[in-house]
């Protein structure tokens, strides 16, 4: 499905950028490929969605917004929501306190933001500056709920918590769910041929760029054209290969190259996907079924990168190539299976047995 581009010259001036990936051996190599555009007059998401600019998930290249390396602060002044009188419940016949107006909810999923980040507020209203943002499709723990400012007639706010932020989001943009991100299948192996060693140049939860959407990503320092293997069985959900020699983003580039990058996304039976980013080329095609250890591409330095390396992450299947990352543990990494920065790991993928 194509996302219509509504970017205008005005929106291009207000681009919110989420970085991903980061330094390699020689220095910074940001490879974060996402950018959201804001129209100057568009309301923030917790007062109503506006036009969106999403990373292009299709094979066809399209004009991209000019990403800005500086995250744009959420607009601080917000239009007043339309006052909507909350329906008063019928007086209870007994004097007991009314039950909680919303059922207990272990998790909420961010919905209906039209691709915008969702503001997390310090209080259940829009008076305070946002303390963070969530991405559409993200599932977070709901600590409690409370009545607050009416947004589009909805007065309920969830108090949510992630590793990065605690605060309130309007129930307009959150759906109660008891679903949690699926546990790793324990079926993932490093994306390298049997016996190949590499160094993790950026691990999970880094201050640099593996946070937020990319929190559970890994960067591996790899020479150009290193074969990359499927980390688990799957099917090719997306493959972008249009960045070829001669393209200004072929051998790395700055923020303007954030979306000009080759990648493969595999979908897995546990509901997750895996992303193989900065490829020189892909060796699979859309819809291909692949088995663990099958060649999916060759490493490169396409996109926002200072040179060849590979960024991989396990992520949700959100309809884009850039989705909320989920924990990823490799069977062939000793201990927890989660390598840390500067750790050297050796792949057992494709070794057989
Ligand atoms: Zn990375």
């Amino acid at each position: 499905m194509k996302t219509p581009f509504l970017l205008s010259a005005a929106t291009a001036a207000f681009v919110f950028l989420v970085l991903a990936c980061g330094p390699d051996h020689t220095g910074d190599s940001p490879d974060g490929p996402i950018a959201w555009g804001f129209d100057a007059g568009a309301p923030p998401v917790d007062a109503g969605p506006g036009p969106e600019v999403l990373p292009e998930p299709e094979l066809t290249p399209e004009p991209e917004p000019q990403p800005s390396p500086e995250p744009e602060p959420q607009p601080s002044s917000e239009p007043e929501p339309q006052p909507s009188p909350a329906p008063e419940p019928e007086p209870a016949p007994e004097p007991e306190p009314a039950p909680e107006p919303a059922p207990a909810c272990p998790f909420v999923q961010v919905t209906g933001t039209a691709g915008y980040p969702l503001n997390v507020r310090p209080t259940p209203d829009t008076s305070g500056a946002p303390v963070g943002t969530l991405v559409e499709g993200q599932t977070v723990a709901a600590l409690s709920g409370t009545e607050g400012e009416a947004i589009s007639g909805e007065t309920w706010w969830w108090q949510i918590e992630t590793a990065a932020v605690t605060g309130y989001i309007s129930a307009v943009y959150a759906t109660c769910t008891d679903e949690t991100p699926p546990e790793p299948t324990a079926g993932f192996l490093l994306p390298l041929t049997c016996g190949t060693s590499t160094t993790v140049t950026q691990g999970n939860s880094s201050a640099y760029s593996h946070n937020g959407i990319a929190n559970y990503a890994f960067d591996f320092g790899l020479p150009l054209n290193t074969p990359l293997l499927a980390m688990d069985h799957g099917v090719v959900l997306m493959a972008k290969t249009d960045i070829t020699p001669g393209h200004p983003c072929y051998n790395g580039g700055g923020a303007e190259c954030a979306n000009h990058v080759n990648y493969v996304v595999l979908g897995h039976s546990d509901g997750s996907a895996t992303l193989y980013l900065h490829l020189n080329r892909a060796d699979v095609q859309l819809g291909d079924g692949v088995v663990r250890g099958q060649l999916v591409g060759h490493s490169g330095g396409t996109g926002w990168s200072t040179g060849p390396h590979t960024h991989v992450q396990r992520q949700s299947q959100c309809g884009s190539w850039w989705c909320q990352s989920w924990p990823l543990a490799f069977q062939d990494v000793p201990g927890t299976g989660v390598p840390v920065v500067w750790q050297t790991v050796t792949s057992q993928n494709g070794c057989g047995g």
Side-chain angles (χ1 to χ4, degrees):
M1 184 180 304
K2 304 281 290 185
T3 299
F5 264 73
L6 301 178
L7 185 67
S8 68
T11 61
F14 293 88
V15 170
F16 174 75
L17 177 67
V18 178
L19 298 176
C21 206
D24 58 18
H25 294 301
T26 58
D28 291 349
S29 59
D31 59 7
I34 197 168
W36 279 284
F38 283 89
D39 185 274
V45 74
D46 56 6
E52 64 177 327
V53 177
L54 286 174
E56 173 53 56
E58 303 292 341
L59 290 167
T60 305
E62 302 207 7
E64 299 289 349
Q66 289 299 315
S68 162
E70 292 299 323
E72 186 197 14
Q74 298 294 312
S76 57
S77 63
E78 316 206 8
E80 285 297 315
Q82 292 299 316
S84 174
E88 286 297 324
E90 291 297 317
E94 69 280 355
E96 297 298 320
E100 280 289 298
C105 182
F107 297 92
V108 291
Q109 184 173 36
V110 177
T111 56
T113 66
Y116 278 94
L118 176 64
N119 289 330
V120 179
R121 301 285 177 172
T123 52
D125 53 56
T126 58
S127 65
V131 294
T133 57
L134 303 177
V135 296
E136 189 168 26
Q138 186 172 356
T139 298
V140 297
L143 301 178
S144 64
T146 184
E147 297 287 344
E149 179 183 331
I151 303 293
S152 300
E154 172 60 73
T155 58
W156 191 253
W157 289 67
W158 293 109
Q159 185 186 23
I160 60 89
E161 180 181 59
T162 73
V165 65
T166 300
Y168 291 86
I169 59 175
S170 168
V172 170
Y173 299 107
T175 301
C176 184
T177 177
D178 59 5
E179 293 180 5
T180 57
E183 292 297 316
T185 63
F188 294 103
L189 293 174
L190 290 165
L192 301 169
T193 54
C194 178
T196 298
S197 294
T198 187
T199 298
V200 176
T201 54
Q202 188 178 187
N204 290 175
S205 305
S206 76
Y208 182 65
S209 67
H210 286 182
N211 48 62
I213 289 178
N215 186 67
Y216 296 106
F218 301 93
D219 288 344
F220 298 120
L222 295 171
L224 182 67
N225 278 328
T226 302
L228 298 173
L229 309 185
M231 294 184 280
D232 198 359
H233 309 306
V235 62
V236 179
L237 298 180
M238 296 174 188
K240 183 170 180 290
T241 60
D242 60 319
I243 309 304
T244 53
H247 190 286
C249 298
Y250 172 72
N251 192 25
E256 72 281 0
C257 291
N259 289 311
H260 298 291
V261 59
N262 294 335
Y263 54 79
V264 166
V265 177
L266 301 182
H268 302 289
S269 60
D270 66 349
S272 72
T274 48
L275 169 67
Y276 308 74
L277 193 63
H278 304 300
L279 303 183
N280 189 25
R281 73 166 200 252
D283 292 275
V284 290
Q285 294 185 325
L286 194 64
D288 284 354
V290 299
V291 298
R292 189 171 68 178
Q294 183 172 335
L295 180 69
V296 297
H298 282 72
S299 67
T302 58
W304 191 347
S305 171
T306 58
H309 75 288
T310 297
H311 169 119
V312 299
Q313 63 186 45
R314 178 174 178 253
Q315 62 186 22
S316 67
Q317 294 184 18
C318 71
S320 170
W321 60 277
W322 186 243
C323 303
Q324 177 62 46
S325 62
W326 287 344
L328 169 56
F330 298 101
Q331 283 186 319
D332 45 356
V333 170
T336 63
V338 181
V340 298
V341 66
W342 306 128
Q343 183 174 340
T344 296
V345 292
T346 302
S347 177
Q348 300 300 309
N349 204 346
C351 293

